[in-house]
Amino acid sequence: MPNTRIKSRCLDDLTDQERLQDRLEWEGYTEKKMKSDGNCQFRAIADQVYKSADFHKRVRQEIVQQLKSRPNAYKEYYGKLQYHIQFKEYVQDMSNDSEWGDDITLRAAADVYGVKIVVIASYKDIPSFVILPKSQKEPDKVIHLSYLEGAHYDSIHLRQGSSTRKKNKEKDNEKEKENEDLKKEKDKEDKKNKREKAEKNNKKKLYRRSHFSNDMLMPL
């Protein structure tokens, strides 16, 4: 059933929380609430990976170890966040309980667990985003999180039946893309044929013009 509530109001009229809830409903997710203690991102990842948010300390340790062992893989993203401390200090702070996770820890989590991370977010212009591990483009395992901008992460799960609808939607999108690619290829071929035909006609015109001129110059 379509979500009529989100269509009946402008996105600007929704609070971040309302916008996020509408998107979760539309995509067929239910939220598993995480404790708001500064560990919410790690709790949400633990719930997805280890089936229990209680493993959040283990998740934090594994992510921090990843950051320590491969700093060059994440310094690029760290620079974009414009934090005012050195990367080494950042990693040290991240090892502390209740230190908030961020984009970098999400990227490290994708690499540590070899998973695709799908995040449904409350941003006005970005309803969702995906993080892939560097080791592979499309891993088999996918974990799902929700993110209330600047505030909180939760673990989310597809409702029963939503998975099939989502797969069908993905198939439709793939088919649509395939059709678009075929159309582009056909348009390209048509342009090529038109260009070749135009060149052929131009050659004929030049030949006729040249032949006509030669006839005119022949002595009587």
Side-chain angles (χ1 to χ4, degrees), residues 205-217:
K205 287 179 182 178
L206 288 172
Y207 172 78
R208 288 172 182 169
R209 190 178 301 164
S210 174
H211 187 69
F212 178 75
S213 298
N214 289 337
D215 287 346
M216 292 291 291
L217 292 172

Side-chain angles (χ1 to χ4, degrees), residues 140-195:
D140 295 330
K141 188 171 182 180
V142 183
I143 68 174
H144 305 263
L145 310 175
S146 65
Y147 176 54
L148 182 62
E149 184 181 359
H152 191 69
Y153 282 90
D154 279 315
S155 174
I156 57 176
H157 300 268
L158 283 168
R159 290 194 296 269
Q160 190 173 5
S162 297
S163 180
T164 302
R165 289 197 299 272
K166 203 169 184 65
K167 285 180 181 177
N168 290 337
K169 182 181 176 182
E170 289 173 355
K171 285 182 180 178
D172 290 341
N173 290 339
E174 288 176 4
K175 187 67 177 176
E176 186 177 340
K177 186 178 183 303
E178 185 180 332
N179 290 337
E180 287 178 1
D181 291 341
L182 288 173
K183 186 177 182 301
K184 286 179 182 178
E185 194 64 33
K186 186 177 182 302
D187 290 343
K188 186 178 178 181
E189 188 66 27
D190 288 344
K191 286 180 181 179
K192 181 182 176 183
N193 291 337
K194 285 180 181 178
R195 186 169 61 251

